[in-house]
Structure formats: C-alpha cells, structure tokens
C-alpha cells in the first residue's frame, strides 16, 4: 500500500507542478494582452478565460472527454497524426487541468499588471527598451506578489481537482489516480484510515504552501513605495 | 527569451505524452503488446472478492502486476467505448459485455462467472426479521440504492421495489449511489436508514458487523448474471488470458462462493 500511496501523491504533485509551469507560460502573455491590448475582442477573451471558474468541472470534463475520443474530429486527428489517444492518460488530465486552472493564474497577474502605474512602462519604452524586455525586466519584477499568488492558486487548485480528472482520467492507478480521487476511492472501500492518511497529507502540504506564501509576501515582496 | 521558455516548456510537455509504438505510422491504439501487467475494471460488488482473487492469483503468478479499478458496470462500459485502457472487464450485468461484443471491442468469449444477489441492509432496523416489510416503517427517511441507470444492482433494487409495490411510496426517499459500493457506504455510515446492496458486500466482515441484512427473494427481480470478458486492447496480452483461465479455476470459484456469489451451473 505504501508504494501506491507514494505514487498517488507523486502523480498529484507532478500534475499540479506541470500545470502551474505551463500556466505561467500561457498566463503571462494572456494577462498582458488583457491589460494592455486595445483589441475589440478583448472582452471575448476575458469571458473565455474566466469561464472555467463559473463552469462546473464536469462540463469541461464532458467536452474534453468527447473531444478526445477517436470518433470526434480532434481525437481522430490526434490518433492519425501522433498515434496517441488522450483519454485516460496523464497528458489528457494535464490539458484538462491547464484549462480548469487558467483563470487562477491569469486573474492575479492581470490584476497585478493593472495596478502598476503606467509611468513604469512608459519610462521603460521611452528609454528604448522593447516591449518584451519591459515585460520581463520592469513589469513582472514589480508584480512578484501577484505572480506568487497565481502560482500558488493554480497549484492548489489543481491539487484539489476532482470532477474533471475523474471524467477524463478514469482513476487509473499509476497514471491518473490523483490524491483527491484516491480519497474518494478509499472511502468507498470503507478504508477510512487510508483516506484519512491522504487527506492529512494534503491538508498539511496545503497549509505549508499557504503559510509560506503569506510569510514570503509579507517579508520580501511587499516593499512597494507607491502602494 | 520568451521563445526559449516556450520551447523548454513545450519539450517538457511532450515528455508527458504516452510512449509511442515503434512500429507502424498508422497505429491502432487498441492492441497492447505482450506485457506483464493487466488492468482490470471490476464492478463494485466485487470489491472484496476481487481483492481476494488477486491475492490468490499472485501466489501462483507473482510476476504479473494487476491494476484494479472498481466502479459501476455501466460507467466502465461508457469508458471502454471511449477508449479506456482496461484489459478485462468484470461486469455485474452480462448485458454490458454483450454490448461490447456487438461493437467488436472484445477479444474473448463472454464468460459467466457468478450470479449476484441483492439484500436489504440496515444499521438500526432489524431487517433480517422483518424482511421487505421493514421498508414500510415510518421512521425511514432515506433509502439507498445504486443508480439504476448504470449500476446493475441498482436496477435490480428498483425492480424489487416495484415488485413489492413499495417503489412509489419510497421514491422520494431514494438516495442513489454511484455504484453499489458507494451505496453500501451510505448504508453503513447511517447516512441512509436502509439500503439495498450486494450480498457480496453485506457478507464482508467489516460491513456484516455493523448491521443486519435480509436476502431479497430472487423472483422479485431479473437475474444478476455477472460476466467477464477480455477486451480488445488486451488481445495479445498473455497475462490477460492467464488471469482469465484463473477465474474459471477451482480456487477462484472457491473464493467467489466464500464471498456470497452463486456459481453459474
């Protein structure tokens, strides 16, 4: 049982970690676009990005389940071109998690960027720096609390995911059985002791992460002169 | 620099993709090479019996790794149709393997392994003495059955209730478990005052010690013919056929009988 316990936790944190990393890469440009762009379809993108917060996870899970299956054009394309099927695989639940936790990364960064005084960006531009350099050397360093918020929220949200993973993951031990599903499974088996073990570990780690977040936030990152 | 980060992440992401077949370009994901592991999707009523079966199996074949997943038969059927990576399906209702066979998703003949029975179970009410009349008690707030839509035991429970003309008055009190195992959990935790669960689960020492059960007469519902089949994905998987033959062996039959299953004639 110990090996299974360890494996389950490993998959859980691997999923959360990878989701967070990918979301950082996707979230920053998206947030930048939403804050600084003057495009007409900004509202559309904003609504789409916020959709996963409002939708029940099973809705996303359902559509992904259908999209991944070989009968659907997307799933068929994946099968033909790459020879892979995403249902019931780790990659499948990774994609699901990325969609599901997207707003939790984008919103904090968006809020952070929005609260920066425009003079920062303008000063950097007027000194001849490119938009990219400005983003990475001026803007992002000034919204570190927001970035940290986004990272922690996405990570924690993914760890807590249940309905979506259950739908497209299939509870396959060693591949898609994450801690939240394992707890459900053990309760069903009346193994309350084991369920409790998983739950305690999750609470402990969640608490540690949050504690670290607030501690770091207070100590290192809240030294802003213009707040 | 942004591009570099993107490329790194994309590469990392690609590593999470399942390994590809080294052979053809147009790969059919349905077949599995000979392997030393099998994934079994088992109906929830087998929860303790199958655990036991796998233990006995491991004594004779310690090198074969068995991944067990429990759930309702109907749910597994949908998942298999959608490409779930299971090698064997142990269904609580023969109808599902039959449907799979019709869609050419099976790789062996369908084998009947047991006849299931449903029981009335309650923590507080003495159902073993009162029988179905226990359901007429006013004190009952919630009755747990498995979801008739996709759980065979739930369907039979519904049929029994209708047979005894109790369905209409109990309909508003019904609590549906996602599978028969969850239904049992509702009953044993006291969340439901009484539940209709599988005999195989009721006989489990953990559950047995917590309440009383009453064997519901077989003539009140359709037979629970439980069958298993090797799935198309495991066509070439020798371990799957080894397990398959094991289930028909005398030692396996002994385990099933011990857990309250009637063996098919």
């Amino acid at each position: 049982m110990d090996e299974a316990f360890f494996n389950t936790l490993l998959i859980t944190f691997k999923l959360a970690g990878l989701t967070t990393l990918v979301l950082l890469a996707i979230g920053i440009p998206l947030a930048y676009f939403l804050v600084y762009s003057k495009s007409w379809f900004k509202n559309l993108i904003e609504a789409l990005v916020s959709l996963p917060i409002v939708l029940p996870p099973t809705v996303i899970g359902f559509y992904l389940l259908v999209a991944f299956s070989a009968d659907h054009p997307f799933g068929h394309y994946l099968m033909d071109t790459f020879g892979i099927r995403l249902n019931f695989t780790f990659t499948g639940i990774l994609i699901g998690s990325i969609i599901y936790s997207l707003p939790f990364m984008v919103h904090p960064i968006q809020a952070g960027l929005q609260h920066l005084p425009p003079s920062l960006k303008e000063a950097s531009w007027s000194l001849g720096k490119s938009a990219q350099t400005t983003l990475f050397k001026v803007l992002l360093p000034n919204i570190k609390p927001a970035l940290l918020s986004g990272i922690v929220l996405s990570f924690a949200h993914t760890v807590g995911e249940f309905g979506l993973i259950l739908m497209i993951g299939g509870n396959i031990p060693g591949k898609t059985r994450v801690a939240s599903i394992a707890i459900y499974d053990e309760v069903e088996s009346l193994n309350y002791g084991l369920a409790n073990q998983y739950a305690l570990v999750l609470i402990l780690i969640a608490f540690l992460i949050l504690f670290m977040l607030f501690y770091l936030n207070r100590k290192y990152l809240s030294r802003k002169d213009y707040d | 620099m942004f591009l570099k980060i993107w490329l790194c992440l994309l590469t990392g992401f690609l590593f999470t993709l399942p390994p590809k077949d080294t052979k053809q370009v147009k790969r059919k994901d349905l077949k599995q090479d000979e392997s030393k592991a099998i994934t079994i999707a088992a109906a929830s009523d087998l929860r303790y019996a199958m655990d036991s079966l796998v233990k006995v199996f491991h004594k004779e074949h310690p090198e074969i790794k068995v991944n067990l997943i429990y759930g309702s038969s109907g749910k597994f059927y949908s998942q298999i149709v959608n490409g779930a990576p299971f090698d064997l399906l142990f269904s609580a209702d023969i109808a599902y393997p039959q449907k799979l066979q019709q869609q050419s998703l099976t790789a062996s003949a369908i084998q009947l392994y047991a006849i299931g029975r449903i029981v009335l179970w309650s923590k507080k009410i003495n159902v073993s003495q009162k029988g179905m009349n226990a359901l007429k008690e006013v004190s009952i707030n919630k009755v747990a059955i498995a979801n008739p839509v996709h759980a065979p035991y739930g369907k039979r429970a519904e049929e029994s209730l209708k047979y005894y003309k109790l369905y209409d008055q109990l309909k508003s009190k019904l609590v549906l478990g996602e599978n028969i195992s969850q239904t049992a959990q509702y009953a044993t935790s006291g969340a439901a005052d009484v539940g209709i669960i599988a005999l195989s689960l009721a006989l489990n020492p953990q559950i047995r010690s917590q309440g009383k059960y009453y064997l519901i007469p077989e003539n009140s519902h359709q037979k629970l013919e439980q069958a298993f089949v090797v799935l198309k994905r495991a066509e070439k998987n020798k371990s799957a056929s080894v397990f398959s033959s094991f289930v028909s062996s005398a030692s396996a039959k002994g385990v099933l009988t011990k857990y309250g299953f009637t063996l098919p004639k």
Side-chain angles (χ1 to χ4, degrees), chain A residues 18 21 25 29 69 79-80 82-83 85 87-88 91 94 136 170-173 177 184-185 187-190 192, chain B residues 2 9 13 16-18 20 26-27 29 47-48 68-69 79 82-86 178-179 181-182 185 188 206-207:
Chain A
L18 278 173
L21 281 177
S69 69
M79 178 56 75
D80 279 342
F82 302 104
R85 175 188 266 132
N87 265 335
F88 312 110
T91 313
L94 182 59
F136 285 103
N171 193 11
I172 315 283
R177 177 177 284 170
Y184 182 68
D185 213 41
V187 168
E188 249 182 33
S189 304
L190 304 182
Y192 291 129
Chain B
F2 203 44
L9 279 164
F13 185 78
T16 68
L17 292 176
K20 290 193 255 179
K26 224 186 182 176
R27 177 176 160 267
D29 192 50
R47 204 171 259 275
Y48 304 107
L68 259 179
I69 300 165
Q79 288 182 328
N82 274 304
F86 304 139
E178 208 215 277
N179 51 59
S181 196
Q182 194 186 53
Q185 196 256 325
T188 54
Q206 236 182 331
I207 298 180

Short mmCIF file of all heavy atoms in Angstrom, two decimals, chain A residues 18 21 25 29 69 79-80 82-83 85 87-88 91 94 136 170-173 177 184-185 187-190 192, chain B residues 2 9 13 16-18 20 26-27 29 47-48 68-69 79 82-86 178-179 181-182 185 188 206-207:
data_model
loop_
_atom_site.label_atom_id
_atom_site.label_comp_id
_atom_site.label_asym_id
_atom_site.label_seq_id
_atom_site.Cartn_x
_atom_site.Cartn_y
_atom_site.Cartn_z
N LEU A 18 3.41 20.65 -13.16
CA LEU A 18 3.47 20.87 -14.60
C LEU A 18 2.39 21.84 -15.05
O LEU A 18 2.63 22.72 -15.89
CB LEU A 18 3.30 19.54 -15.35
CG LEU A 18 4.57 18.71 -15.48
CD1 LEU A 18 4.26 17.36 -16.09
CD2 LEU A 18 5.60 19.42 -16.34
N LEU A 21 3.53 25.34 -14.24
CA LEU A 21 4.58 25.80 -15.15
C LEU A 21 4.01 26.22 -16.50
O LEU A 21 4.30 27.30 -17.02
CB LEU A 21 5.62 24.71 -15.36
CG LEU A 21 6.64 24.55 -14.24
CD1 LEU A 21 7.56 23.38 -14.54
CD2 LEU A 21 7.46 25.82 -14.10
N ALA A 25 3.61 30.10 -18.43
CA ALA A 25 3.98 30.44 -19.80
C ALA A 25 2.80 30.98 -20.58
O ALA A 25 2.94 31.88 -21.40
CB ALA A 25 4.56 29.22 -20.49
N PRO A 29 1.49 36.04 -21.06
CA PRO A 29 1.08 36.74 -22.28
C PRO A 29 -0.41 37.06 -22.31
O PRO A 29 -0.82 38.13 -22.77
CB PRO A 29 1.45 35.76 -23.41
CG PRO A 29 2.01 34.57 -22.79
CD PRO A 29 2.16 34.76 -21.36
N SER A 69 -12.13 11.63 -27.74
CA SER A 69 -12.43 10.28 -28.22
C SER A 69 -12.20 10.18 -29.72
O SER A 69 -12.33 11.15 -30.46
CB SER A 69 -13.86 9.89 -27.87
OG SER A 69 -14.77 10.66 -28.62
N MET A 79 -5.07 10.85 -33.19
CA MET A 79 -4.78 9.44 -33.40
C MET A 79 -4.01 9.24 -34.70
O MET A 79 -3.03 8.52 -34.76
CB MET A 79 -6.11 8.65 -33.43
CG MET A 79 -5.95 7.18 -33.69
SD MET A 79 -4.87 6.36 -32.54
CE MET A 79 -5.94 6.32 -31.14
N ASP A 80 -4.49 9.94 -35.75
CA ASP A 80 -3.85 9.76 -37.05
C ASP A 80 -2.47 10.36 -37.12
O ASP A 80 -1.54 9.76 -37.65
CB ASP A 80 -4.73 10.40 -38.14
CG ASP A 80 -5.88 9.48 -38.54
OD1 ASP A 80 -5.79 8.29 -38.23
OD2 ASP A 80 -6.84 9.97 -39.14
N PHE A 82 -0.40 11.72 -34.51
CA PHE A 82 0.59 11.38 -33.49
C PHE A 82 0.46 9.97 -32.95
O PHE A 82 1.30 9.51 -32.21
CB PHE A 82 0.47 12.36 -32.31
CG PHE A 82 0.65 13.79 -32.70
CD1 PHE A 82 -0.44 14.65 -32.79
CD2 PHE A 82 1.91 14.30 -32.98
CE1 PHE A 82 -0.28 15.98 -33.14
CE2 PHE A 82 2.07 15.63 -33.33
CZ PHE A 82 0.98 16.47 -33.42
N GLY A 83 -0.63 9.32 -33.29
CA GLY A 83 -0.82 7.96 -32.79
C GLY A 83 -1.11 7.91 -31.31
O GLY A 83 -0.80 6.95 -30.64
N ARG A 85 -3.88 8.72 -27.95
CA ARG A 85 -5.25 8.99 -27.53
C ARG A 85 -5.15 9.61 -26.15
O ARG A 85 -4.45 9.09 -25.29
CB ARG A 85 -6.01 7.67 -27.46
CG ARG A 85 -7.41 7.86 -26.90
CD ARG A 85 -8.06 6.51 -26.65
NE ARG A 85 -8.85 6.12 -27.78
CZ ARG A 85 -8.79 4.92 -28.33
NH1 ARG A 85 -7.97 4.02 -27.85
NH2 ARG A 85 -9.58 4.60 -29.33
N ASN A 87 -7.61 10.38 -23.83
CA ASN A 87 -8.48 9.95 -22.75
C ASN A 87 -7.74 8.99 -21.83
O ASN A 87 -7.03 8.12 -22.30
CB ASN A 87 -9.69 9.19 -23.33
CG ASN A 87 -10.87 10.12 -23.53
OD1 ASN A 87 -10.97 11.13 -22.87
ND2 ASN A 87 -11.73 9.77 -24.44
N PHE A 88 -7.94 9.16 -20.55
CA PHE A 88 -7.36 8.24 -19.58
C PHE A 88 -5.83 8.26 -19.55
O PHE A 88 -5.20 7.30 -19.14
CB PHE A 88 -7.84 6.79 -19.82
CG PHE A 88 -9.32 6.70 -20.00
CD1 PHE A 88 -9.86 6.41 -21.22
CD2 PHE A 88 -10.17 6.94 -18.94
CE1 PHE A 88 -11.23 6.34 -21.40
CE2 PHE A 88 -11.55 6.88 -19.10
CZ PHE A 88 -12.08 6.58 -20.34
N THR A 91 -1.35 13.01 -19.85
CA THR A 91 -1.38 14.21 -20.71
C THR A 91 -2.79 14.75 -20.83
O THR A 91 -3.02 15.95 -20.82
CB THR A 91 -0.86 13.88 -22.12
OG1 THR A 91 0.34 13.14 -21.99
CG2 THR A 91 -0.59 15.14 -22.92
N LEU A 94 -3.63 16.53 -17.79
CA LEU A 94 -2.81 17.74 -17.73
C LEU A 94 -3.47 18.85 -18.53
O LEU A 94 -3.62 19.98 -18.06
CB LEU A 94 -1.41 17.44 -18.29
CG LEU A 94 -0.39 18.57 -18.26
CD1 LEU A 94 -0.15 19.06 -16.84
CD2 LEU A 94 0.92 18.13 -18.88
N PHE A 136 9.70 41.64 -18.98
CA PHE A 136 10.47 40.75 -18.11
C PHE A 136 11.38 41.45 -17.12
O PHE A 136 11.65 40.94 -16.05
CB PHE A 136 11.30 39.78 -18.96
CG PHE A 136 10.47 38.71 -19.56
CD1 PHE A 136 10.10 38.76 -20.90
CD2 PHE A 136 10.00 37.66 -18.79
CE1 PHE A 136 9.30 37.78 -21.44
CE2 PHE A 136 9.20 36.67 -19.33
CZ PHE A 136 8.85 36.73 -20.66
N GLY A 170 -10.23 8.55 -15.49
CA GLY A 170 -10.59 7.15 -15.32
C GLY A 170 -9.99 6.46 -14.12
O GLY A 170 -10.08 5.25 -13.99
N ASN A 171 -9.36 7.21 -13.23
CA ASN A 171 -8.87 6.62 -11.98
C ASN A 171 -7.91 5.45 -12.21
O ASN A 171 -7.98 4.41 -11.56
CB ASN A 171 -10.08 6.16 -11.14
CG ASN A 171 -9.72 5.82 -9.71
OD1 ASN A 171 -8.62 6.11 -9.26
ND2 ASN A 171 -10.62 5.18 -9.03
N ILE A 172 -7.02 5.58 -13.17
CA ILE A 172 -6.06 4.52 -13.47
C ILE A 172 -4.88 4.64 -12.51
O ILE A 172 -4.18 5.65 -12.51
CB ILE A 172 -5.50 4.66 -14.92
CG1 ILE A 172 -6.60 4.94 -15.92
CG2 ILE A 172 -4.69 3.44 -15.28
CD1 ILE A 172 -7.44 3.78 -16.29
N PRO A 173 -4.65 3.61 -11.69
CA PRO A 173 -3.55 3.72 -10.72
C PRO A 173 -2.21 3.87 -11.44
O PRO A 173 -1.97 3.20 -12.42
CB PRO A 173 -3.58 2.39 -9.97
CG PRO A 173 -4.75 1.65 -10.43
CD PRO A 173 -5.30 2.30 -11.64
N ARG A 177 -4.64 8.37 -11.18
CA ARG A 177 -5.26 8.36 -9.86
C ARG A 177 -4.55 9.39 -9.00
O ARG A 177 -3.45 9.14 -8.50
CB ARG A 177 -5.19 6.97 -9.21
CG ARG A 177 -5.77 6.99 -7.79
CD ARG A 177 -5.77 5.62 -7.16
NE ARG A 177 -6.83 4.82 -7.70
CZ ARG A 177 -6.95 3.52 -7.47
NH1 ARG A 177 -6.05 2.89 -6.75
NH2 ARG A 177 -7.95 2.84 -7.99
N TYR A 184 -11.58 9.53 -2.34
CA TYR A 184 -12.94 9.12 -2.69
C TYR A 184 -13.03 7.60 -2.79
O TYR A 184 -13.94 6.97 -2.27
CB TYR A 184 -13.29 9.78 -4.03
CG TYR A 184 -14.66 9.53 -4.56
CD1 TYR A 184 -15.78 10.05 -3.92
CD2 TYR A 184 -14.84 8.82 -5.74
CE1 TYR A 184 -17.05 9.84 -4.44
CE2 TYR A 184 -16.10 8.61 -6.27
CZ TYR A 184 -17.19 9.12 -5.62
OH TYR A 184 -18.44 8.92 -6.14
N ASP A 185 -12.05 7.03 -3.47
CA ASP A 185 -12.00 5.59 -3.67
C ASP A 185 -11.89 4.84 -2.35
O ASP A 185 -12.58 3.85 -2.12
CB ASP A 185 -10.77 5.28 -4.54
CG ASP A 185 -11.03 4.10 -5.44
OD1 ASP A 185 -12.13 4.01 -6.00
OD2 ASP A 185 -10.12 3.28 -5.58
N VAL A 187 -12.71 5.85 0.62
CA VAL A 187 -13.93 5.98 1.42
C VAL A 187 -14.96 4.98 0.94
O VAL A 187 -15.64 4.32 1.72
CB VAL A 187 -14.50 7.42 1.34
CG1 VAL A 187 -15.90 7.49 1.90
CG2 VAL A 187 -13.60 8.38 2.08
N GLU A 188 -15.04 4.82 -0.38
CA GLU A 188 -15.96 3.86 -0.95
C GLU A 188 -15.66 2.45 -0.52
O GLU A 188 -16.53 1.62 -0.36
CB GLU A 188 -15.86 3.91 -2.48
CG GLU A 188 -17.10 4.47 -3.12
CD GLU A 188 -16.99 4.47 -4.63
OE1 GLU A 188 -16.35 3.56 -5.19
OE2 GLU A 188 -17.55 5.39 -5.23
N SER A 189 -14.35 2.16 -0.34
CA SER A 189 -13.95 0.83 0.10
C SER A 189 -14.07 0.68 1.60
O SER A 189 -13.68 -0.34 2.15
CB SER A 189 -12.48 0.57 -0.23
OG SER A 189 -12.23 0.74 -1.55
N LEU A 190 -14.53 1.74 2.23
CA LEU A 190 -14.60 1.78 3.69
C LEU A 190 -13.22 1.75 4.34
O LEU A 190 -13.09 1.41 5.51
CB LEU A 190 -15.47 0.63 4.24
CG LEU A 190 -16.89 0.54 3.69
CD1 LEU A 190 -17.64 -0.58 4.35
CD2 LEU A 190 -17.64 1.84 3.89
N TYR A 192 -11.37 3.96 5.75
CA TYR A 192 -11.33 5.33 6.25
C TYR A 192 -9.93 5.72 6.72
O TYR A 192 -9.54 6.88 6.62
CB TYR A 192 -12.33 5.51 7.39
CG TYR A 192 -13.77 5.45 6.92
CD1 TYR A 192 -14.69 4.62 7.55
CD2 TYR A 192 -14.20 6.22 5.86
CE1 TYR A 192 -16.01 4.56 7.13
CE2 TYR A 192 -15.52 6.16 5.43
CZ TYR A 192 -16.41 5.34 6.06
OH TYR A 192 -17.71 5.27 5.64
N PHE B 2 11.58 34.78 -24.34
CA PHE B 2 10.25 34.22 -24.15
C PHE B 2 10.09 32.95 -24.97
O PHE B 2 9.54 31.95 -24.52
CB PHE B 2 9.23 35.28 -24.58
CG PHE B 2 7.89 35.06 -23.93
CD1 PHE B 2 7.80 34.76 -22.58
CD2 PHE B 2 6.73 35.16 -24.67
CE1 PHE B 2 6.58 34.57 -21.98
CE2 PHE B 2 5.50 34.96 -24.07
CZ PHE B 2 5.41 34.67 -22.74
N LEU B 9 9.25 24.55 -22.22
CA LEU B 9 8.03 24.01 -21.65
C LEU B 9 7.36 23.04 -22.60
O LEU B 9 6.84 22.00 -22.20
CB LEU B 9 7.06 25.15 -21.31
CG LEU B 9 7.40 25.83 -19.99
CD1 LEU B 9 6.70 27.16 -19.88
CD2 LEU B 9 7.03 24.95 -18.83
N PHE B 13 6.54 19.27 -21.90
CA PHE B 13 5.18 18.79 -22.05
C PHE B 13 5.12 17.54 -22.91
O PHE B 13 4.40 16.60 -22.62
CB PHE B 13 4.36 19.92 -22.68
CG PHE B 13 2.90 19.63 -22.79
CD1 PHE B 13 2.08 19.72 -21.68
CD2 PHE B 13 2.34 19.27 -24.00
CE1 PHE B 13 0.71 19.47 -21.78
CE2 PHE B 13 0.99 19.02 -24.10
CZ PHE B 13 0.18 19.12 -23.00
N THR B 16 5.50 14.19 -21.42
CA THR B 16 4.45 13.57 -20.63
C THR B 16 3.54 12.71 -21.51
O THR B 16 2.73 11.95 -21.03
CB THR B 16 3.56 14.62 -19.94
OG1 THR B 16 2.82 15.31 -20.95
CG2 THR B 16 4.39 15.58 -19.14
N LEU B 17 3.71 12.86 -22.82
CA LEU B 17 2.85 12.09 -23.71
C LEU B 17 3.17 10.60 -23.60
O LEU B 17 4.31 10.23 -23.40
CB LEU B 17 3.03 12.54 -25.17
CG LEU B 17 2.52 13.94 -25.48
CD1 LEU B 17 2.84 14.30 -26.92
CD2 LEU B 17 1.02 14.02 -25.26
N PRO B 18 2.14 9.77 -23.74
CA PRO B 18 2.38 8.33 -23.61
C PRO B 18 3.32 7.85 -24.71
O PRO B 18 3.30 8.39 -25.81
CB PRO B 18 0.98 7.71 -23.77
CG PRO B 18 0.15 8.77 -24.37
CD PRO B 18 0.72 10.07 -23.98
N LYS B 20 5.11 6.07 -27.75
CA LYS B 20 4.51 5.61 -28.99
C LYS B 20 5.02 4.24 -29.37
O LYS B 20 6.07 3.79 -28.96
CB LYS B 20 4.83 6.60 -30.11
CG LYS B 20 4.10 7.93 -29.94
CD LYS B 20 4.19 8.73 -31.23
CE LYS B 20 5.19 9.85 -31.06
NZ LYS B 20 5.33 10.65 -32.26
N LYS B 26 0.64 4.42 -38.96
CA LYS B 26 -0.77 4.47 -38.58
C LYS B 26 -1.02 3.44 -37.50
O LYS B 26 -1.24 2.28 -37.78
CB LYS B 26 -1.61 4.16 -39.82
CG LYS B 26 -2.77 5.14 -39.90
CD LYS B 26 -3.76 4.90 -40.96
CE LYS B 26 -4.80 6.02 -40.88
NZ LYS B 26 -5.76 5.97 -41.91
N ARG B 27 -0.97 3.89 -36.26
CA ARG B 27 -1.01 2.95 -35.15
C ARG B 27 -2.42 2.84 -34.59
O ARG B 27 -3.08 3.81 -34.34
CB ARG B 27 -0.07 3.46 -34.07
CG ARG B 27 -0.04 2.65 -32.82
CD ARG B 27 1.01 3.22 -31.91
NE ARG B 27 0.78 2.82 -30.55
CZ ARG B 27 0.10 3.53 -29.68
NH1 ARG B 27 -0.40 4.67 -30.00
NH2 ARG B 27 -0.07 3.10 -28.45
N ASP B 29 -4.43 2.19 -31.53
CA ASP B 29 -4.11 2.21 -30.11
C ASP B 29 -4.78 1.09 -29.33
O ASP B 29 -4.64 0.96 -28.13
CB ASP B 29 -4.53 3.57 -29.54
CG ASP B 29 -3.97 3.79 -28.16
OD1 ASP B 29 -2.76 3.59 -27.99
OD2 ASP B 29 -4.74 4.10 -27.26
N ARG B 47 -15.76 -5.75 -4.89
CA ARG B 47 -14.69 -5.06 -4.21
C ARG B 47 -13.84 -5.93 -3.28
O ARG B 47 -12.63 -5.82 -3.27
CB ARG B 47 -15.24 -3.87 -3.43
CG ARG B 47 -14.21 -2.83 -3.20
CD ARG B 47 -14.79 -1.57 -2.62
NE ARG B 47 -14.98 -0.53 -3.61
CZ ARG B 47 -14.06 0.33 -4.01
NH1 ARG B 47 -12.87 0.27 -3.50
NH2 ARG B 47 -14.33 1.25 -4.90
N TYR B 48 -14.41 -6.74 -2.49
CA TYR B 48 -13.59 -7.56 -1.58
C TYR B 48 -13.23 -8.90 -2.20
O TYR B 48 -12.13 -9.42 -2.01
CB TYR B 48 -14.33 -7.76 -0.25
CG TYR B 48 -14.71 -6.44 0.37
CD1 TYR B 48 -16.03 -5.99 0.38
CD2 TYR B 48 -13.74 -5.60 0.91
CE1 TYR B 48 -16.37 -4.75 0.91
CE2 TYR B 48 -14.07 -4.37 1.44
CZ TYR B 48 -15.38 -3.95 1.43
OH TYR B 48 -15.72 -2.73 1.95
N LEU B 68 -6.16 -2.72 -10.34
CA LEU B 68 -7.60 -2.92 -10.17
C LEU B 68 -8.33 -1.60 -10.06
O LEU B 68 -7.93 -0.72 -9.30
CB LEU B 68 -7.84 -3.66 -8.86
CG LEU B 68 -8.11 -5.15 -8.93
CD1 LEU B 68 -8.31 -5.68 -7.52
CD2 LEU B 68 -9.34 -5.43 -9.77
N ILE B 69 -9.41 -1.48 -10.83
CA ILE B 69 -10.23 -0.28 -10.71
C ILE B 69 -11.67 -0.73 -10.50
O ILE B 69 -12.19 -1.55 -11.25
CB ILE B 69 -10.16 0.56 -11.98
CG1 ILE B 69 -8.71 0.98 -12.21
CG2 ILE B 69 -11.02 1.80 -11.86
CD1 ILE B 69 -8.46 1.49 -13.57
N GLN B 79 -16.77 4.12 -20.61
CA GLN B 79 -15.34 4.45 -20.69
C GLN B 79 -14.63 3.59 -21.72
O GLN B 79 -13.78 4.06 -22.46
CB GLN B 79 -14.69 4.28 -19.32
CG GLN B 79 -15.10 5.37 -18.34
CD GLN B 79 -14.42 5.22 -16.99
OE1 GLN B 79 -14.12 4.11 -16.55
NE2 GLN B 79 -14.15 6.33 -16.35
N ASN B 82 -15.13 4.65 -25.06
CA ASN B 82 -14.33 5.86 -25.30
C ASN B 82 -12.84 5.62 -25.19
O ASN B 82 -12.07 6.57 -25.08
CB ASN B 82 -14.74 6.96 -24.31
CG ASN B 82 -15.91 7.76 -24.82
OD1 ASN B 82 -15.86 8.30 -25.90
ND2 ASN B 82 -16.98 7.78 -24.07
N GLY B 83 -12.44 4.36 -25.18
CA GLY B 83 -11.01 4.05 -25.25
C GLY B 83 -10.28 3.88 -23.95
O GLY B 83 -9.06 4.00 -23.90
N ALA B 84 -10.99 3.55 -22.87
CA ALA B 84 -10.31 3.37 -21.59
C ALA B 84 -9.32 2.21 -21.65
O ALA B 84 -9.62 1.18 -22.23
CB ALA B 84 -11.34 3.12 -20.49
N PRO B 85 -8.15 2.36 -21.05
CA PRO B 85 -7.10 1.34 -21.15
C PRO B 85 -7.31 0.15 -20.21
O PRO B 85 -6.44 -0.16 -19.40
CB PRO B 85 -5.84 2.11 -20.78
CG PRO B 85 -6.31 3.15 -19.84
CD PRO B 85 -7.68 3.55 -20.30
N PHE B 86 -8.45 -0.51 -20.32
CA PHE B 86 -8.67 -1.69 -19.48
C PHE B 86 -8.39 -2.95 -20.29
O PHE B 86 -8.61 -2.99 -21.50
CB PHE B 86 -10.12 -1.74 -18.99
CG PHE B 86 -10.55 -0.51 -18.25
CD1 PHE B 86 -11.79 0.05 -18.45
CD2 PHE B 86 -9.71 0.10 -17.32
CE1 PHE B 86 -12.21 1.18 -17.76
CE2 PHE B 86 -10.11 1.24 -16.64
CZ PHE B 86 -11.36 1.77 -16.86
N GLU B 178 -23.43 6.07 -6.65
CA GLU B 178 -22.85 6.00 -7.98
C GLU B 178 -22.54 4.57 -8.39
O GLU B 178 -22.53 4.22 -9.56
CB GLU B 178 -21.58 6.83 -8.00
CG GLU B 178 -21.27 7.38 -9.36
CD GLU B 178 -19.80 7.43 -9.61
OE1 GLU B 178 -19.19 8.41 -9.18
OE2 GLU B 178 -19.27 6.48 -10.20
N ASN B 179 -22.22 3.74 -7.42
CA ASN B 179 -22.04 2.32 -7.67
C ASN B 179 -22.47 1.61 -6.40
O ASN B 179 -22.74 2.26 -5.38
CB ASN B 179 -20.60 1.99 -8.04
CG ASN B 179 -19.62 2.55 -7.05
OD1 ASN B 179 -19.68 2.24 -5.86
ND2 ASN B 179 -18.72 3.40 -7.51
N SER B 181 -20.93 -0.02 -4.26
CA SER B 181 -20.01 0.15 -3.14
C SER B 181 -20.31 1.44 -2.39
O SER B 181 -20.33 1.48 -1.16
CB SER B 181 -18.59 0.17 -3.70
OG SER B 181 -17.67 -0.02 -2.69
N GLN B 182 -20.55 2.49 -3.14
CA GLN B 182 -20.88 3.77 -2.51
C GLN B 182 -22.22 3.66 -1.79
O GLN B 182 -22.42 4.22 -0.73
CB GLN B 182 -20.93 4.88 -3.55
CG GLN B 182 -20.92 6.25 -2.91
CD GLN B 182 -21.12 7.37 -3.91
OE1 GLN B 182 -22.07 7.36 -4.67
NE2 GLN B 182 -20.26 8.34 -3.88
N GLN B 185 -21.69 2.18 1.41
CA GLN B 185 -21.08 3.17 2.30
C GLN B 185 -22.14 4.09 2.89
O GLN B 185 -22.08 4.46 4.06
CB GLN B 185 -20.02 3.95 1.50
CG GLN B 185 -19.06 4.72 2.35
CD GLN B 185 -19.37 6.19 2.36
OE1 GLN B 185 -19.82 6.75 1.36
NE2 GLN B 185 -19.16 6.82 3.49
N THR B 188 -23.86 1.92 5.59
CA THR B 188 -23.08 1.61 6.80
C THR B 188 -22.76 2.86 7.61
O THR B 188 -22.63 2.80 8.83
CB THR B 188 -21.73 0.93 6.46
OG1 THR B 188 -21.03 1.76 5.53
CG2 THR B 188 -21.94 -0.43 5.87
N GLN B 206 -16.39 -6.43 7.71
CA GLN B 206 -16.49 -5.03 8.13
C GLN B 206 -17.92 -4.54 8.12
O GLN B 206 -18.38 -3.83 8.99
CB GLN B 206 -15.68 -4.18 7.15
CG GLN B 206 -14.63 -3.35 7.78
CD GLN B 206 -13.92 -2.51 6.73
OE1 GLN B 206 -13.83 -2.89 5.57
NE2 GLN B 206 -13.45 -1.37 7.12
N ILE B 207 -18.63 -4.92 7.05
CA ILE B 207 -20.00 -4.45 6.89
C ILE B 207 -20.96 -5.28 7.73
O ILE B 207 -21.90 -4.77 8.34
CB ILE B 207 -20.40 -4.49 5.40
CG1 ILE B 207 -19.49 -3.54 4.61
CG2 ILE B 207 -21.84 -4.13 5.21
CD1 ILE B 207 -19.78 -3.48 3.14
#
